[in-house]
């Protein structure tokens, strides 16, 4: 992936009523690629790495290093994977397990210290990384951490439903318009002979049966009030994990994910197994609702 290349912080963490885009800025990369301006969450929820290590002990054998005893706060991103079969009526399946990635350096209010603000940023060459002993953690450990911090099941009661709702809204917004009419026409052929429309519909159905699945990776952040913010959606999410103990949580996650993925859509993402019921479950996948947008006949020429 891009591992955060080209990201710059603009302005400060103080809230402004009417933010304006500064002039005279210097950007890296090709201007033809374009740029994206995104609001920064001024008060992110931060994780104490020593308490996170304690939560991990209840999930699995802990990652043991001396640094875990240091009470240092880190910003983090959440990554969840989604499988989509992009047909006329998209089928979107959200994988409820995920993982988090800590920033490379402890949190700082200095926006120029990108290593403390961009969780997937690679360590900068020639600069001490001050890396946490482990950057990738399971969402199971995060859920236990949040329960210890708040005294409630904040993960299952608030964060996970908000993440799934965001995925649903994103795919609803991205769903292409479909040509149609306000009312379905009645069948005026009493003999049931196939017409051109019937043959076209059969061809579309056959094409949909051959439509492969697509894998997306969604990144989120959480603010200090436990509100979920979407960062980006990746159409080619990274599916590799670091070697050794630092990547153990992600490797376990990927093993479960690939197993459940084969249950849902077969080898090579080309099976056609579907359960059209909203909220249906296959392994760790849950189907989320997507509202298709239909273009009415009188709107096609507008």
């Amino acid at each position: 992936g891009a591992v955060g290349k080209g990201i710059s912080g603009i302005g400060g963490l103080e809230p402004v009523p009417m933010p304006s885009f500064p002039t005279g800025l210097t950007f890296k990369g090709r201007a033809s690629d374009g740029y994206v301006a995104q609001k920064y969450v001024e008060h992110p929820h931060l994780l104490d790495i020593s308490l996170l290590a304690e939560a991990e002990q209840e999930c699995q054998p802990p990652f043991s290093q001396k640094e875990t005893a240091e009470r240092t706060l880190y910003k983090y991103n959440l990554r969840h994977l989604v499988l989509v079969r992009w047909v006329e009526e998209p089928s979107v399946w959200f994988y409820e397990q995920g993982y988090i990635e800590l920033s490379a350096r402890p949190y700082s209010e200095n926006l120029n210290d990108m290593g403390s603000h961009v969780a997937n940023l690679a360590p900068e060459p020639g600069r001490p990384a001050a890396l946490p002993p482990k950057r990738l953690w399971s969402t199971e450990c995060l859920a236990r951490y949040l329960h210890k911090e708040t005294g409630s099941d904040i993960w299952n009661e608030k964060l996970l439903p908000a993440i799934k709702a965001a995925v649903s809204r994103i795919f609803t917004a991205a769903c292409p318009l479909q040509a149609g009419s306000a009312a379905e026409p009645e069948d005026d052929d009493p003999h049931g002979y196939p017409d051109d429309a019937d043959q076209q519909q059969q061809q579309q159905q056959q094409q949909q049966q051959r439509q492969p699945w697509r894998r997306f990776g969604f990144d989120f952040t959480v603010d200090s009030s436990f509100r979920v913010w979407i960062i980006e959606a990746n159409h080619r999410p990274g599916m590799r994990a670091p070697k050794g103990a630092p990547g153990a949580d992600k490797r376990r996650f990927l093993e479960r994910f690939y197993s459940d993925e084969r249950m849902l859509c077969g080898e090579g993402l080309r099976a056609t197994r579907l359960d059209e019921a909203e909220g249906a479950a296959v392994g760790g996948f849950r189907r989320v609702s997507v509202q298709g947008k239909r273009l009415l006949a009188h709107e096609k020429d507008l």
Side-chain angles (χ1 to χ4, degrees), residues 88 184-189 192-206:
E88 184 176 359
E184 294 296 330
E186 295 182 1
D187 185 2
D188 58 358
D189 182 2
Y193 295 129
D195 55 16
D196 292 340
D198 293 332
Q199 293 177 354
Q200 184 177 6
Q201 184 177 7
Q202 291 176 2
Q203 292 175 356
Q204 290 177 349
Q205 291 175 348
Q206 292 173 358

Side-chain angles (χ1 to χ4, degrees), residues 49-65 68-69 134 137-138 140-142 144-145 148 249 252:
I49 196 168
S50 63
L51 299 182
L52 192 60
E54 291 178 11
E56 184 184 38
Q57 295 180 23
E58 302 179 23
C59 301
Q60 60 213 22
F63 181 83
S64 178
Q65 278 197 11
T68 57
K134 178 178 173 180
W137 303 73
S138 69
E140 291 92 338
C141 290
L142 176 64
R144 291 180 181 273
Y145 178 102
K148 288 178 176 292
D249 278 27
R252 280 189 288 266

Side-chain angles (χ1 to χ4, degrees), residues 215-254:
R215 187 188 295 143
F216 291 84
F218 283 82
D219 293 337
F220 299 90
T221 191
V222 179
D223 67 19
S224 57
S225 299
F226 298 110
R227 290 179 297 181
V228 171
W229 298 77
I230 176 70
I231 299 175
E232 63 178 349
N234 299 275
H235 70 283
R236 296 181 64 182
M239 303 298 288
R240 296 181 180 179
K243 297 179 180 179
D249 278 27
K250 186 174 180 179
R251 286 196 300 275
R252 280 189 288 266
F253 161 77
L254 290 174

